[in-house]
Amino acid sequence: MRTQVIVVGAGPTGLMLAYELTLAGVSVVVLEKQRERGIQSRAGGLQPRTAEVLDLRGLLDPLLDDAQPSDPIGGHFAMLPVELDCRPWRTRHPHLVKLPQARLEAHLERLLVGRGVPVLRGHEVTEVEQDADGVRAGDVHGDYLVACDGAHSAVRSLLGVPFPGRAGRMSAVAADLTLASRSDAVPTAQGHFSRYPRTAGGFFAILHPLDDGLYRMLFGKLTGDGPGRRAPVTADEVSEALHAVYGPGTELGALRAASRFSDAERQVERYRENRVFFAGDAAHIHMPIGGQGVNLGIQDAVNLGWKLAAALNGWAPAGLLDSYHDERHPVAARVLRHTRAQSLITNPGRDEDAAAVRELMTELLRLPDANRYIAGMMSGLDLRYPGLGPRLTDYDLTVDDRPTRASDLLHTGQGLLLCLDGRTRQLGRHSDRVRQVLASTTEDTADTTALLVRPDGYIAWTDTDEQPLDEALGRWFG
C-alpha cells in the first residue's frame, strides 16, 4: 500500500493529525494495533485551548450537540480548592468542556472514514525502515511517518530512539465503573475537582460522577506500591479500594474499563528523526492530571499537520518542518515541569511540608494575577511561539453583511489574512494557501486592522509590525 503519510496510532493525536492532512489534500493511512476502539473515558474534559483548536476546524459544535449539559466549573491546579478563571484570556470556552476522550476519538474516526481515509485496526507495526526517498511500516509505504502510538511507542522502540526522563514512583488505576450501592461519602453531583480526593485505609482515591450513573475512579496505595503496568485490573482490586475509602456500604456494580498509570515523565530529545516524527504520548509522557495529555497531543497534531502538508504540496519554506520540534518541544517540557510540581503538591500522603506548600499555593491562586497566570498555563491559552504573536482571538465579525466568527474562517485549514479596514492586500503566489477575508468588528483589536494567521490559529503578522507582510508570507507560506 502506498500513501503520502503513515500515521501510527488512532488516539486523539493520530486521528486529529490525519484529519489535518486530509483537509490539505494529503493521502493518509492510519495504523492502529488495537482491533476495537477503547471505551474508557480517560480524559474527561477538554482544556479551553483544545476546545478552541477543535472550533478552528468546525469540529467542536457537533460534539457538544451530543454532550450532557453541565454547570460551568473552573479548572484546577494540583487539585487545590480554587477554580482557575480563564475569562481574562478572552475565550469562548473559559471552562473545561465536558467530553470524554472516547467520544472525541469516535467522532474523528467517523469523519476520517467518511472521507475515505483507511483506519486499519488490528495492524501492529513490527518494522520501520526509512531512507532518503521514503519510509516503510511493514507493507505500507509513505513519504513520511508520524508516530502517535502512545507512551510505549512501537515506532520509537523499533528506531531505537531514546526516551529519557524519570521512571514512575507510584502505581495507580483509572477505572470507569458503576456502583451497586454507595455510602454518603460518595459524591452524587459534579463539582470542582478539589471536592473528590480522599484518603483512608492505606489508599488514596478520586471518585467523580460522569453521565448515566457512570463514575470515574482513580486510586492507588499511599505507599506507591502496586501491580506492574501489564497486570490486569480486577474487580476485587477496585472493590478493596472502594471499601477502604468510601466504606463497606459502597459496592461495585460493573467494572466497565480500567487501566494503570504512573507519574513517570519522559520526553524524546528530537521530535523528528529524518522522515519520522513523534507526537502526543509517543513524544512526551507525564503524570495524567488536568487534561494536559490531550491538550498537548491535539496541538502537536495541528502544529505539525499543515507543515507536513506544505512539504508534500511543494511550498514549504526552508526550516518549516523543523519548526515543529522547535515550537512544540519546549511546550511539552514546560508541562512536564508543572505536572511534576503538581505531583509534589498533591502528595496523597499529605506530609507536613506538602501541606504547607498547598496552603501557600491556595492563597496565591486566590490572587487574580496569579490565578490568571496559572489558568493560562493549564488551559494552553497563554501559549506563544518564538517570533509569533498570540493565538487569534475568536472575534465576532461581519463578513459580506453576515455575522460570523473568526474561528469559522479557519475551517479549511488554510492560512488567513484577516483585513478589518476594508482594504485588500497583495497575496501573489500565496493566494492558493492563504485566504484573504474583508471583515468588520466592534471588538477591541488593539488598533490592529490586518492580521496574518497560521492554520494552527497563531498570529504571524499584523499591520502594526515593522516586518512587511510579504516577508511574513514568505517565512510561513513559501
Side-chain angles (χ1 to χ4, degrees), residues 126-147:
T126 58
E127 55 179 340
V128 176
E129 293 182 355
Q130 59 176 324
D131 56 29
D133 298 319
V135 61
R136 179 179 67 85
D139 59 354
V140 183
H141 297 255
D143 296 295
Y144 293 98
L145 181 149
V146 186

Side-chain angles (χ1 to χ4, degrees), residues 68-313:
Q68 296 282 342
S70 60
D71 293 331
I73 299 169
H76 71 89
F77 179 79
M79 293 183 276
L80 296 173
V82 181
E83 291 194 21
L84 298 181
D85 185 2
C86 289
R87 290 174 297 180
W89 290 98
R90 295 184 70 182
T91 176
R92 294 183 188 273
H93 311 286
H95 309 100
L96 290 173
V97 175
K98 181 184 168 188
L99 185 76
Q101 180 177 320
R103 187 179 299 165
L104 172 61
E105 292 178 3
H107 179 62
L108 291 173
E109 187 168 343
R110 281 195 300 270
L111 290 175
L112 290 173
V113 172
R115 289 171 172 262
V117 175
V119 179
L120 306 182
R121 291 191 166 274
H123 196 117
E124 184 174 1
V125 174
T126 58
E127 55 179 340
V128 176
E129 293 182 355
Q130 59 176 324
D131 56 29
D133 298 319
V135 61
R136 179 179 67 85
D139 59 354
V140 183
H141 297 255
D143 296 295
Y144 293 98
L145 181 149
V146 186
C148 306
D149 52 342
H152 306 284
S153 168
V155 174
R156 196 182 58 233
S157 177
L158 289 165
L159 292 178
V161 174
F163 203 28
R166 188 181 71 192
R169 299 174 299 179
M170 53 84 82
S171 174
V173 170
D176 291 352
L177 53 86
T178 60
L179 297 174
S181 62
R182 62 190 180 204
S183 69
D184 292 340
V186 175
T188 57
Q190 296 185 3
H192 191 252
F193 208 77
S194 60
R195 294 174 47 189
Y196 302 132
R198 295 176 65 91
T199 58
F203 285 88
F204 70 89
I206 298 168
L207 185 62
H208 59 103
L210 300 175
D211 297 329
D212 302 323
L214 191 66
Y215 280 83
R216 186 168 196 243
M217 184 180 182
L218 311 174
F219 71 89
K221 293 184 177 179
L222 290 173
T223 61
D225 297 331
R229 178 181 65 85
R230 296 184 183 279
V233 179
T234 66
D236 287 345
E237 183 181 359
V238 176
S239 293
E240 181 186 3
L242 283 170
H243 292 162
V245 180
Y246 299 97
T250 301
E251 294 290 344
L252 176 66
L255 180 59
R256 298 280 185 86
S259 59
R260 299 190 189 277
F261 68 92
S262 76
D263 60 349
E265 58 175 51
R266 299 182 182 279
Q267 186 178 24
V268 295
E269 295 175 346
R270 293 291 305 174
Y271 281 15
R272 180 182 185 183
E273 294 288 334
N274 300 318
R275 290 183 172 271
V276 175
F277 294 83
F278 297 92
D281 288 352
H284 41 71
I285 61 169
H286 53 82
M287 178 180 175
I289 188 169
Q292 296 301 293
V294 172
N295 214 33
L296 276 176
I298 292 290
Q299 292 186 73
D300 284 350
V302 175
N303 184 287
L304 177 59
W306 69 276
K307 297 172 181 179
L308 205 50
L312 288 163
N313 288 328

Side-chain angles (χ1 to χ4, degrees), residues 352-391:
E352 292 182 0
D353 291 344
V357 174
R358 288 177 63 85
E359 290 175 8
L360 177 59
M361 280 301 302
T362 299
E363 292 175 9
L364 289 174
L365 286 175
R366 291 193 173 109
L367 301 176
D369 286 348
N371 192 293
R372 180 185 185 276
Y373 176 84
I374 297 296
M377 178 183 73
M378 290 293 290
S379 65
L381 295 172
D382 72 346
L383 177 59
R384 290 184 71 153
Y385 298 123
L388 290 173
R391 75 192 208 288

Side-chain angles (χ1 to χ4, degrees), residues 18-19 21 44 65 93 220 222 241 263 292 345 396:
Y19 183 81
L21 293 167
D65 288 344
H93 311 286
L222 290 173
D263 60 349
Q292 296 301 293
I345 294 168
D396 284 315

